[in-house]
Amino acid sequence: MKRVLIIIGVIVVLLIAVVVALPFIVPKSAMTAYVVGQIEEATGRKVTVGAEPEFSVFPEVKLSLSKVTLSNAEGGEAENLAEIGEADIEVDLMAALSGEVVIQKFVLIDPIIVVEKDKQGRFNFEMGDTGQGTPSDSGSSSAGEGGLGDGLKLSLDDVRLQNATLVYADATTGERQEIKGFNASLSLPAITGPFDVEADAEWQNRRVALVAHVDNPIAIANGERSTVKANVSSDGLFRVEFEGAVTGGDLPSGAGRTSISVEDLAGLLAWVPVALGNDVKLPATIGIAGDLTGSPEKVALANATVSFDDNSLKGNISAGLTGGKPFAVADLTAGALDLRAYLPEGGAGGGGAGAGGGSAGSDDWSDEPIDLSGLTAADIDIRLRADQITTGIVDTARTDVAFVAKGKQADLTINELNLYEGAATGSVNIDQRQAEPAIAIILNISNMQARPALQQLADYGDFLGTVNAAANLTTRGNTERKLVTALNGKGNVVVTDGAILGYNLAAAVRNISTGGLDMNYDESEKTDFAEISASFTAKNGVVNNPDLKMNAPLLRVTGQGDVLLPPKTIDYRALPKLVASLTGQGASESGGLGIPILITGAWADPSIKPDLEGVVKGVLQAPGDAVKGVADTVKGVGGAASGGVKGVLDSVTGSGSSSGETTPEKTEGDSDSSNPISGATKKLKGLFGN
């Protein structure tokens, strides 16, 4: 036995001696040629080594190379697929003799790697068949069948990449990207882990850093599960963090806690780069955090918090691909949301024509196509609940809305919308299954206060009341003109317990014996009314109102007529009637003195004048009723004297003025305040923005 041990010892000593002497026996050039030949045979590419390598075997196998190149594929744009300035490799020899691969050092300095994709979609690193079998031959072994790494003892001590340059060029799209100054440091004490990596690189003139830890990398490679912790960041721009588990395989998946914070959204989009329109306004900061589950087909975020600037939402979000089409699902709740900073210039506040979008105040409707294709780009199912939403255009209290887009149909459902002390419900459906989209709108408003609504939407605060309204409308078209021309449907509106500020019509009627109605605006006056009601029907862009009614002290107003949307004109007849009752309701419609008013012409400059022809016809047809109406009115206000009657008649006729088309010559002392019809006309025009 002792003799056998001596023989074995001698053999080991001889082997070590041979290994130590090998670099001196075999020329370095021959060794280099052998290694280069093996690489060229395996890759089919030409390999060059600029200087004679440094090589030693004992006690560690060391190899130092410089100026190494690997040629590019035939027809490639770059000369070489890879270039390496310097390469230092050290392997523990004694560990290798015992069956363990211990890479003590693997450092590549100034490498340049160029990845190219040609016009046929082939990559330059595809080497062809290496004779090692197809994927189906080897397969992906499960842990029970001897997975990757079984029996392999691997250790990485000092593995680094210094100042690397990575280039990607795509001939199919013309895209070219370049990453400079790429540094990486790897650590793998054993094949089963843990595996740590730290890396940073410069892209688009910004440094990006990566730090990652994997408990068992070989488990992921074998389709099993391992815990993972990683973060990617760029100082002053963004940070992405993940801590959880990853499972490998043909369909890898992950689950864990994740967070994304963007410190400078505008800077991030400019860096990527993403071009946005000049009128697009985005938050300065964005944050997303939640419990992530993800795979190549779907990513979901539960218990999520989404924040932008000072706004925050919570809920669940998911997105992915179904049959190659993107989808997104979200169910979010929020407290108070302030969206004013993200609206285009002129969108918030300002009122008037600006608040209405400009079309109503312009000379004509637009024929520019309206692009709704974005509604069909993805399947979307989003529900939002909020305690308050401030936009500066329409501000809401409690809000519950849902938006669903699937295929070529999109539906917006207003489950709850509390605004201006009232509430609204309704829906909007957009159907794009035909050449031009069809739109259906249902809207119900209850107990909404008119004044704050008009102040915000039209910069007009002289009208008060509680509004209840309903509308059911349909239209079709892809331009403004087509949409208004095809408008059909019906609706109604009732305003109760309100007032028109700036006028006290009751006081004017009480003082009728003094010689006229004072229709000049006075901010200290107002006209209360019990109710204003109207219904309407729309047919091919013509909106007809047959039954306007207003009940106020000493005053009743009825009206009917058409609003023509395509030409933006109006043809309307209103009949204000002085009655004997100081109450807002209950007076007989047959009594009282009527003063018809015609409102006709373009919206931008309507003609508003008394219908004297209608007054004359009414008197001729029923003179007794006319006289009785005057008498009842005067009697009701306590003014039966002839001066009172004269005042009423003067008010009706405008004290002898013409029909309103021309202005009579003024005598000394005359003023517009003495002509009630003229004053009323001016005020009515004022309501139309004139």
Side-chain angles (χ1 to χ4, degrees):
M1 184 65 182
K2 182 178 179 180
R3 191 178 185 88
V4 173
L5 292 175
I6 293 173
I7 293 172
I8 293 174
V10 170
I11 293 173
V12 170
V13 171
L14 289 174
L15 287 173
I16 293 174
V18 170
V19 170
V20 173
L22 188 62
F24 302 100
I25 299 173
V26 180
K28 294 178 182 179
S29 58
M31 295 179 63
T32 302
Y34 175 78
V35 172
V36 167
Q38 293 297 310
I39 296 175
E40 290 181 338
E41 183 178 350
T43 63
R45 308 292 173 84
K46 181 176 178 58
V47 178
T48 63
V49 179
E52 190 175 37
E54 296 294 329
F55 180 72
S56 65
V57 176
F58 190 81
E60 295 88 21
V61 177
K62 294 183 179 181
L63 177 64
S64 295
L65 302 172
S66 61
K67 298 182 181 179
V68 181
T69 65
L70 178 66
S71 67
N72 201 0
E74 185 176 353
E77 181 180 344
E79 182 180 355
N80 297 310
L81 169 64
E83 299 178 5
I84 301 173
E86 296 181 26
D88 292 325
I89 304 170
E90 292 184 12
V91 179
D92 189 326
L93 176 61
M94 301 308 296
L97 293 176
S98 64
E100 180 179 358
V101 178
V102 178
I103 299 178
Q104 296 174 317
K105 186 177 184 180
F106 187 93
V107 179
L108 300 182
I109 301 174
D110 297 333
I112 300 174
I113 300 173
V114 180
V115 176
E116 294 180 346
K117 183 179 181 181
D118 64 18
K119 293 183 178 180
Q120 287 72 43
R122 295 186 300 247
F123 288 97
N124 61 340
F125 54 75
E126 295 175 1
M127 306 297 181
D129 187 4
T130 60
Q132 296 179 5
T134 64
S136 59
D137 294 329
S138 58
S140 57
S141 301
S142 65
E145 298 173 343
L148 179 63
D150 283 4
L152 175 64
K153 295 181 179 180
L154 174 65
S155 175
L156 305 178
D157 291 342
D158 181 15
V159 177
R160 287 177 288 126
L161 201 63
Q162 293 183 4
N163 195 35
T165 299
L166 307 178
V167 179
Y168 173 73
D170 188 341
T172 63
T173 63
E175 179 185 3
R176 180 181 176 86
Q177 299 290 343
E178 185 172 327
I179 297 176
K180 298 180 179 180
F182 181 62
N183 304 298
S185 176
L186 312 179
S187 175
L188 182 66
I191 188 64
T192 56
F195 172 70
D196 289 283
V197 57
E198 293 186 12
D200 66 89
E202 181 182 296
W203 184 68
Q204 301 279 76
N205 299 316
R206 273 191 176 272
R207 299 299 298 182
V208 181
L210 165 69
V211 178
H213 172 87
V214 182
D215 273 0
N216 190 345
I218 202 65
I220 297 176
N222 288 332
E224 298 172 356
R225 181 176 180 274
S226 175
T227 58
V228 173
K229 183 177 181 180
N231 71 73
V232 182
S233 64
S234 180
D235 289 344
L237 200 61
F238 72 92
R239 186 177 186 86
V240 180
E241 295 183 336
F242 173 80
E243 184 171 3
V246 173
T247 302
D250 294 335
L251 193 65
S253 62
R257 188 69 182 174
T258 189
S259 66
I260 301 171
S261 61
V262 178
E263 302 171 44
D264 180 4
L265 181 58
L268 177 63
L269 295 177
W271 176 61
V272 173
V274 173
L276 299 174
N278 295 330
D279 59 343
V280 176
K281 294 187 175 183
L282 297 175
T285 63
I286 287 181
I288 302 174
D291 299 324
L292 175 71
T293 57
S295 71
E297 295 180 344
K298 179 181 177 179
V299 176
L301 205 60
N303 303 314
T305 298
V306 179
S307 61
F308 52 99
D309 294 337
D310 295 328
N311 299 288
S312 180
L313 303 96
K314 294 184 178 181
N316 302 313
I317 306 170
S318 61
L321 292 172
T322 301
K325 186 176 183 179
F327 72 87
V329 179
D331 190 342
L332 300 170
T333 61
L337 298 176
D338 189 344
L339 308 180
R340 288 174 294 180
Y342 319 119
L343 298 175
E345 291 290 344
S359 294
S362 61
D363 293 336
D364 204 357
W365 300 102
S366 173
D367 290 310
E368 184 176 349
I370 300 172
D371 185 8
L372 298 176
S373 61
L375 297 178
T376 63
D379 290 341
I380 299 173
D381 187 347
I382 297 176
R383 185 168 185 178
L384 172 64
R385 304 174 185 86
D387 294 336
Q388 178 181 329
I389 301 178
T390 303
T391 66
I393 300 176
V394 177
D395 297 338
T396 71
R398 177 66 184 172
T399 301
D400 182 352
V401 296
F403 179 74
V404 177
K406 190 170 185 179
K408 292 192 174 184
Q409 294 197 79
D411 290 280
L412 172 66
T413 302
I414 304 173
N415 299 307
E416 180 182 9
L417 192 65
N418 293 313
L419 69 171
Y420 310 119
E421 303 178 37
T425 60
S427 63
V428 179
N429 172 263
I430 301 176
D431 187 342
Q432 299 188 76
R433 290 177 293 180
Q434 297 185 24
E436 293 186 346
I439 301 175
I441 301 172
I442 297 175
L443 182 63
N444 295 285
I445 296 174
S446 60
N447 300 320
M448 185 180 75
Q449 296 306 303
R451 187 178 197 183
L454 291 172
Q455 282 178 326
Q456 187 168 55
L457 298 175
D459 196 25
Y460 180 75
D462 291 341
F463 187 83
L464 288 71
T466 299
V467 180
N468 289 272
N472 190 334
L473 305 170
T474 62
T475 187
R476 180 184 295 276
N478 59 359
T479 68
E480 282 185 354
R481 187 186 306 280
K482 289 181 179 180
L483 289 173
V484 298
T485 302
L487 185 68
N488 291 280
K490 61 182 180 179
N492 63 79
V493 60
V494 178
V495 185
T496 57
D497 301 324
I500 301 173
L501 303 182
Y503 299 92
N504 190 333
L505 297 181
V509 173
R510 292 188 192 103
N511 297 325
I512 201 167
S513 62
T514 62
L517 291 171
D518 183 5
M519 294 297 292
N520 287 325
Y521 179 86
D522 184 344
E523 62 181 11
S524 66
E525 301 289 355
K526 69 175 180 177
T527 296
D528 296 315
F529 61 83
E531 181 178 283
I532 297 177
S533 65
S535 66
F536 69 87
T537 58
K539 185 175 181 180
N540 298 328
V542 177
V543 181
N544 173 259
N545 163 235
D547 57 1
L548 172 70
K549 292 181 181 180
M550 174 182 175
N551 295 329
L554 296 175
L555 183 67
R556 300 293 183 266
V557 179
T558 59
Q560 61 182 4
D562 295 326
V563 176
L564 291 79
L565 298 182
K568 292 189 177 183
T569 60
I570 186 171
D571 184 5
Y572 201 85
R573 186 177 189 269
L575 179 61
K577 184 178 290 187
L578 302 174
V579 296
S581 174
L582 291 174
T583 63
Q585 295 177 343
S588 173
E589 293 298 332
S590 61
L593 182 63
I595 311 172
I597 295 176
L598 297 179
I599 306 172
T600 58
W603 295 0
D605 187 20
S607 170
I608 304 172
K609 60 185 180 181
D611 183 11
L612 297 183
E613 181 180 351
V615 173
V616 173
K617 286 182 178 179
V619 172
L620 293 177
Q621 291 173 359
D625 290 343
V627 172
K628 184 178 183 298
V630 173
D632 288 345
T633 301
V634 174
K635 180 180 179 181
V637 297
S642 60
V645 174
K646 180 180 183 298
V648 173
L649 294 175
D650 287 346
S651 298
V652 174
T653 62
S655 299
S657 68
S658 68
S659 64
E661 293 289 348
T662 61
T663 302
E665 293 182 5
K666 292 183 180 180
T667 60
E668 185 177 355
D670 285 346
S671 66
D672 288 341
S673 62
S674 66
N675 187 334
I677 300 301
S678 174
T681 300
K682 288 186 176 181
K683 179 54 184 173
L684 287 170
K685 283 195 173 185
L687 295 177
F688 285 83
N690 297 285

